[in-house]
């Protein structure tokens, strides 16, 4: 333990000397101020990435050197420019938030049996986005009184949990061996996703999930995808044209379904992979995104 401090000081001195060689060019005084040198330890970003952003704030005479081994950058410039760079790094060199994304599937038949309804807040060409509400009839009067439904009261199947960094992507499986293999083959070819003549022998549906933390809101982009098997092997197709983006509150569930406006029921077929093949009911995705503390 007692020998580590001298070694660290020695290593730091070597780094400073190496940087000094890079900064051998003399900067002329600007506005009465002499140039200064400052070392920044980059903790969470890549030093090269940090240096690329910092270069936008340099004066014409400013210089930046990067040591990738220690992930530090050294800046030589006038004090006002160094202050700007320091403020920039304070805002950008921060720990990336981790997001816990939970996805489960609920069927319409079970929801109705439990007295749970869905209030759709968004209706698009492929997706519906809403919240679960409970239907009540107080005093025996046939009047619907809407009340928010707690997450634990929603019966879900096939729930999966995914932990990803904000801005990074993960995958969620919807189901296995869905019955309408030929439909996915035809849809993929007709829409330019699949060019081969080899037909699908088996198809599993799923979704690529990309969360992005924005204050108290988490923006989640959901893109349907299929994994298929042919005589030549396996492959995956991502259906970017029918992706959707939703803004969710931290820890609060949202429900997503297939839009009636979609004549081909594309999203409904993806979600159908979560249910049994003999069930005649609609299936909905229940998504909850939570920032890990």
């Amino acid at each position: 333990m007692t020998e580590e401090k001298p070694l660290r000081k020695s290593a730091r001195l070597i780094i400073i000397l190496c940087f000094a060689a890079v900064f051998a060019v003399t900067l002329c005084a600007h506005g009465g101020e002499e140039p200064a040198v400052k070392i920044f330890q980059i903790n969470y970003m890549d030093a090269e990435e940090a240096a690329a952003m910092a270069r936008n704030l340099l004066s014409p005479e400013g210089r930046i050197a990067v040591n990738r081994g220690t992930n530090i950058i050294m800046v030589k410039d006038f004090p006002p420019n160094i202050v700007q760079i320091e403020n920039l790094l304070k805002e950008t060199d921060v720990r990336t938030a981790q997001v816990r994304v939970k996805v489960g599937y609920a069927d319409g038949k079970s929801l109705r049996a439990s007295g749970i309804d869905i209030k759709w807040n968004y209706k698009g060409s492929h997706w519906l986005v809403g919240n679960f509400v409970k239907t009540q009839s107080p005093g025996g009067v046939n009047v619907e009184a809407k009340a928010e439904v707690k997450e634990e009261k929603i019966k879900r199947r096939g729930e999966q949990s995914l932990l990803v960094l904000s801005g990074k992507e993960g995958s969620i499986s919807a189901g296995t061996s869905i019955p309408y293999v030929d439909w996915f083959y035809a849809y993929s070819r007709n829409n330019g996703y699949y060019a081969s003549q080899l037909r699908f022998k088996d198809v599993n549906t799923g979704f690529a999930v990309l969360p992005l933390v924005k204050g108290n809101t988490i923006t989640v982009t959901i893109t349907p995808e299929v994994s298929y098997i042919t005589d030549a092997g396996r492959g995956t197709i991502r259906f970017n044209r029918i992706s959707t983006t939703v803004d969710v509150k931290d820890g609060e569930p949202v429900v997503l379904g297939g839009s009636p406006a979609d004549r081909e029921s594309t999203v409904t077929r993806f979600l159908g992979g979560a249910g049994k093949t003999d069930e005649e009911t609609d299936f909905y995705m229940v998504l909850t995104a939570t920032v890990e503390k």
Side-chain angles (χ1 to χ4, degrees):
M1 295 293 291
T2 57
E3 296 180 356
E4 289 182 358
K5 290 184 178 180
L7 286 174
R8 289 177 181 173
K9 289 182 179 179
S10 177
R12 192 173 183 84
L13 179 59
I14 293 173
I15 292 170
I16 292 173
L17 291 174
C18 292
F19 279 135
V22 177
F23 292 140
V25 178
T26 303
L27 274 69
C28 299
H30 179 75
E33 291 185 296
E34 294 293 330
V37 175
K38 186 161 185 176
I39 297 175
F40 295 96
Q41 177 66 58
I42 309 301
N43 297 309
Y44 303 108
M45 301 174 63
D46 178 77
E48 293 282 2
E49 183 182 357
M53 292 193 304
R55 286 190 180 95
N56 295 321
L57 300 177
L58 288 176
S59 70
E61 297 87 357
R63 300 287 184 272
I64 288 182
V66 178
N67 185 284
R68 302 183 64 180
T70 56
N71 211 48
I72 67 173
I73 65 174
M74 179 178 281
V75 180
K76 184 176 184 179
D77 208 342
F78 301 107
N81 300 85
I82 291 180
V83 169
Q84 291 182 48
I85 291 172
E86 184 174 17
N87 292 335
L88 171 68
L89 294 177
K90 283 180 180 179
E91 293 185 6
T92 57
D93 184 34
V94 295
R95 185 188 299 274
T96 303
Q98 289 186 308
V99 182
R100 175 76 62 181
V101 180
K102 291 196 298 184
V103 171
Y105 302 92
D107 67 275
K109 186 181 296 184
S110 297
L111 291 173
R112 289 188 291 271
S114 301
I116 298 175
D117 199 358
I118 302 172
K119 179 183 178 182
W120 298 114
N121 302 315
Y122 168 79
K123 297 180 180 181
S125 57
H126 294 289
W127 292 85
L128 299 175
V129 181
N131 301 97
F132 287 118
V133 293
K134 190 170 184 179
T135 303
Q136 300 175 339
S137 298
V141 181
N142 189 21
V143 177
E144 286 190 346
K146 303 289 186 178
E148 294 300 325
V149 179
K150 292 184 178 180
E151 184 180 2
E152 59 267 20
K153 292 185 178 181
I154 303 170
K155 296 181 179 179
R156 287 170 291 190
R157 64 180 69 190
E159 187 171 86
Q160 301 175 59
S161 180
L162 180 70
L163 183 63
V164 292
L165 293 174
S166 173
K168 300 296 182 181
E169 192 175 81
S171 294
I172 292 288
S173 173
T176 58
S177 302
I178 59 177
Y180 24 85
V181 173
D182 289 341
W183 182 91
F184 274 104
Y185 170 78
Y187 183 87
S188 300
R189 284 185 55 81
N190 292 341
N191 289 275
Y193 290 106
Y194 184 73
S196 173
Q197 296 291 334
L198 293 174
R199 301 188 71 87
F200 298 161
K201 299 173 64 177
D202 191 20
V203 169
N204 300 332
T205 61
F207 300 91
V209 181
L210 175 64
L212 182 63
V213 178
K214 298 180 178 179
N216 295 325
T217 301
I218 305 171
T219 299
V220 183
T221 300
I222 303 165
T223 306
E225 57 186 13
V226 297
S227 299
Y228 62 86
I229 299 176
T230 67
D231 289 332
R234 299 175 180 269
T236 301
I237 300 174
R238 176 172 298 191
F239 295 81
N240 294 313
R241 296 177 191 170
I242 54 175
S243 66
T244 189
T245 300
V246 296
D247 290 330
V248 301
K249 293 182 179 179
D250 189 356
E252 294 189 10
V254 295
V255 56
L256 298 99
S259 173
D262 182 3
R263 295 182 179 180
E264 296 185 90
S265 302
T266 314
V267 172
T268 301
R269 292 179 185 273
F270 275 94
L271 294 173
K276 298 178 181 178
T277 58
D278 58 350
E279 289 182 296
E280 294 183 0
T281 182
D282 291 329
F283 283 88
Y284 307 104
M285 175 191 291
V286 185
L287 183 147
T288 307
T290 306
V291 178
E292 292 283 290
K293 305 301 183 183

